[in-house]
Every structure is written in structure tokens, then in C-alpha cells.
Amino acid sequence: MSVFYKICILLLIVGGLNWGLVGLFRFDLVTWLFGGSASVLSRIVYSLVGLSALGAIPSLFMSSDNER
């Protein structure tokens, strides 16, 4: 697995955990850490998570060497 896909997966995990917190506790960790949903840093994190989701799409169609 390339470094690019590892970064994508890491960002998707961050996004998934954040959405889990929003769904369960109405707590948005990203906005809490970076000063609100309109802050530049929050928007960058949200954008990177979204781009990583797009970047991970091709991995759904790749065959694995361990797959039988």
C-alpha cells in the first residue's frame, strides 16, 4: 500500500471518528480544536478529508495479492 493511500485512510478515519462524535454526542471535534466551523483550519481539515475520500475510491477497484 502506497503512502498516498495510507494518508487517505488516516484522514478518512479522522473524518469517521469526527462524524461518530457528531452523531452520538453532537460534538464536532474538528471545530472544537480549530476554532469553529468557519475557521480556515477547520475548512482545510474538512477539505482534506473530502479529497482523501475521492483519492481512496480507486483502491476499491484494485485487486489485492492476498485476495483469492
Side-chain angles (χ1 to χ4, degrees):
M1 185 181 292
S2 71
V3 173
F4 173 74
Y5 288 114
K6 287 182 182 180
I7 292 171
C8 286
I9 289 171
L10 176 68
L11 286 169
L12 290 172
I13 290 169
V14 167
L17 290 173
N18 190 57
W19 276 112
L21 288 171
V22 169
L24 292 173
F25 305 111
R26 294 183 184 182
F27 177 72
D28 191 340
L29 182 64
V30 173
T31 61
W32 182 75
L33 287 175
F34 298 114
S37 61
S39 76
V40 173
L41 289 175
S42 292
R43 294 181 67 190
I44 289 171
V45 171
Y46 290 135
S47 298
L48 288 174
V49 170
L51 289 172
S52 68
L54 291 174
I57 289 172
S59 67
L60 293 172
F61 303 104
M62 291 181 187
S63 64
S64 175
D65 293 333
N66 297 332
E67 203 175 275
R68 292 181 188 205

